[in-house]
Amino acid sequence: MDNIRVRFAPSPTGPLHIGGVRTALYNYLFAKKHNGKFILRIEDTDQNRYVEGAEAYIIESLNWFGLNLDEGPGIGGEYGPYRQSERKDIYAEYAEKLVADGNAYYAFDSAEDIAKMKEDMAANGVHSAKYNYLTRDDMTNSLTLSPEQTKKKIVDGINVTIRLKIPQDETIKIIDEVRGEVSFDSNELDDKIILKGDGMPTYHLANIVDDHLMKISHVIRGEEWLSSTAHHVLMYKFFDWTAPRFAHLPLILKPTGKGKLSKRDGAKFGFPVFPLEWEAKAENEIYSGFREFGYMPQAVINFIALLGWNPGDDTELFTLKELIQAFSINKIVKSGARFDVDKSKWFNQQYIISTPNTELAQMLKPLIVAKGIDITDDFLLKFVALMKERVTMVNDFLENGKFFFEMPKEIDEKTIRKKYKLENRDHFDQIVNGLGEIAHLTSSAAESFVKSYIADHELSFGAILPILRIGTSGTMKGPDLFEMMELIGKKEVCSRLTSSLELFTTIIEKKNA
Ligand code: GLU
């Protein structure tokens, strides 16, 4: 396929939702697979819905995922500007052309006039009436007014709009790359407003004019835009332009599989639906993103790629490069794709395991610094090596491995009460002394000393090792005890064990009292 140009065209009305990320991803994969261009176009013609910071958020999210743009705001390109508000002056002439050709008309009705029309129609038994072939002849528009009256209304400038004139009794056919042929009855469509009095186009006009001018070859977008496509293909026909190919992506469903996934579900089920943290000022709410939950961007990409597409076999793990290779529009599915939180975590775990330790260390460093923890790069690398198979989320490194940095205040008292025997105290003190005497406390030196001590004194592993573990890290969970000791260091291990043994003795004495 030649000259592939696709665009991700979000409206900056809020943060990027996971569905938007998937739309961006599929566009990106398709473009890269065919040596095409991946373009960002900001569709900000609806100033009432404009949200401060949303555009920057969208761009930051795409960067986080590594979905690099070829053209877009701030990047440039031959077909800019890429923000529709900056293209405002382009659209009116196209709307006028449609009027001149009889495919659109001026309309001057107020919101009240339209509400009244709907009421009157309802009284006559026509429910959910639209501004269309049935009603347009009873409204105030250039079809019902004389040219002079129309001109005067335009000059007066009150409620001036241009509406698309949808033909009556036509079947509008769309060939969708995902769904095949989809037909719409033109009588079901409304005469949509395409240009407003202030010269701002609405989504429909701006979208198709820009897709045409930007030479977009394929429109890959969410299923919610399928019904608008009927209006779009009509406009392409009116302008005598070749329409791009369309591919409408299936819905992403709630974890239960019932209904469309919403941002509320994230809060309800405890998972993110946005890539990065988003402060919703109007709602006075802060939503944590995938990043803050501890997901790796590559894992999210892999997971999201499979929400609505599959390679045709059971392969699940794909790097971005492999996804580009494997991707094809004809493997996108029609039915909704369930957001499976556990699966998303599984992907994250796989990515953590397969990411080189140096990269993980780089990623963790800022988190560690932010906590005010001071460690060397060498320590960090060894820490990563010991913990990486024991975590699911990036944040788990610090949570599950916090004992590497300081002795936790909370310890596993239950196990201590069960396993610590006062009569072994002397042995423990000797083990601590012995560990202290080892010149270089490597894991193998610690292991051979402790194990020989246990054997020589006919003790059991079960009576000694758990106590040493909790005494060193506060918990039974963690990497190999002796590796842990080596990394924490002799001095710190001995000091932790000394105070822990005091504490354990008190716990048992209290229990026995
Ligand atoms: N601005 C629309 C949105 O916010 C774009 C739909 C399309 O890609 O045509 O999703």
Side-chain angles (χ1 to χ4, degrees), residues 207-334:
N207 188 268
I208 72 127
V209 167
D210 285 348
D211 281 347
H212 174 71
L213 295 179
M214 293 181 180
K215 297 201 166 57
I216 298 303
S217 61
H218 291 72
V219 167
I220 304 171
R221 63 184 168 197
E223 155 176 300
E224 65 273 26
W225 301 103
L226 183 62
S227 61
S228 303
T229 311
H231 289 91
H232 299 177
V233 296
L234 264 180
M235 282 193 275
Y236 280 107
K237 197 174 110 198
F238 294 156
F239 283 123
D240 202 15
W241 292 340
T242 309
R245 315 275 287 257
F246 294 100
H248 286 91
L249 310 178
L251 287 179
I252 298 183
L253 306 175
K254 295 179 197 297
T256 54
K258 293 194 187 92
K260 188 178 165 192
L261 181 72
S262 78
K263 67 178 180 189
R264 295 268 158 242
D265 296 320
K268 189 163 141 206
F269 298 105
F271 63 81
V273 293
F274 301 128
L276 316 173
E277 184 176 276
W278 172 257
E279 187 181 348
K281 295 208 177 78
E283 300 160 46
N284 202 11
E285 186 109 42
I286 295 182
Y287 293 95
S288 276
F290 280 93
R291 181 174 64 186
E292 290 71 29
F293 268 79
Y295 282 89
M296 296 187 61
Q298 304 90 320
V300 182
I301 285 290
N302 193 156
F303 166 66
I304 288 180
L306 293 164
L307 289 178
W309 168 87
N310 65 69
D313 60 31
D314 293 343
T315 319
E316 288 189 299
L317 291 169
F318 292 90
T319 62
L320 193 53
K321 262 202 184 134
E322 289 164 345
L323 281 174
I324 293 171
Q325 277 302 313
F327 189 75
S328 79
I329 289 190
N330 57 31
K331 294 232 167 60
I332 294 174
V333 299
K334 282 196 226 89

Side-chain angles (χ1 to χ4, degrees), residues 41-93:
R41 184 171 74 222
I42 299 292
E43 300 208 324
D44 58 350
T45 53
D46 189 349
Q47 297 292 321
N48 296 328
R49 296 184 61 220
Y50 182 83
V51 171
E52 193 69 43
E55 179 187 320
Y57 178 96
I58 291 166
I59 294 176
E60 198 189 337
S61 301
L62 295 178
N63 286 340
W64 188 62
F65 287 122
L67 302 180
N68 298 331
L69 293 161
D70 297 303
E71 296 168 29
I75 298 168
E78 252 182 87
Y79 301 87
Y82 294 91
R83 229 176 252 121
Q84 286 184 329
S85 57
E86 291 168 18
R87 303 170 62 80
K88 185 179 165 203
D89 297 340
I90 297 177
Y91 308 106
E93 78 171 272

Side-chain angles (χ1 to χ4, degrees), residues 410-481:
E410 301 273 305
I411 63 146
D412 179 357
E413 275 198 36
K414 206 170 147 215
T415 307
I416 292 301
R417 273 197 225 103
K418 216 158 87 196
K419 304 226 153 154
Y420 183 63
K421 301 275 173 289
L422 287 181
E423 63 266 28
N424 285 339
R425 172 67 195 256
D426 193 40
H427 288 303
F428 283 116
D429 287 340
Q430 295 208 43
I431 292 174
V432 177
N433 281 339
L435 288 171
E437 275 162 22
I438 299 173
H440 294 292
L441 189 74
T442 59
S443 70
S444 55
E447 181 169 3
S448 72
F449 166 72
V450 172
K451 289 194 171 159
S452 326
Y453 188 96
I454 292 174
D456 294 350
H457 295 84
E458 293 177 358
L459 299 163
S460 76
F461 282 179
I464 304 299
L465 297 182
I467 308 301
L468 292 180
R469 177 180 278 284
I470 297 174
T472 307
S473 66
T475 168
M476 286 301 288
K477 293 192 199 103
D480 177 79
L481 169 64

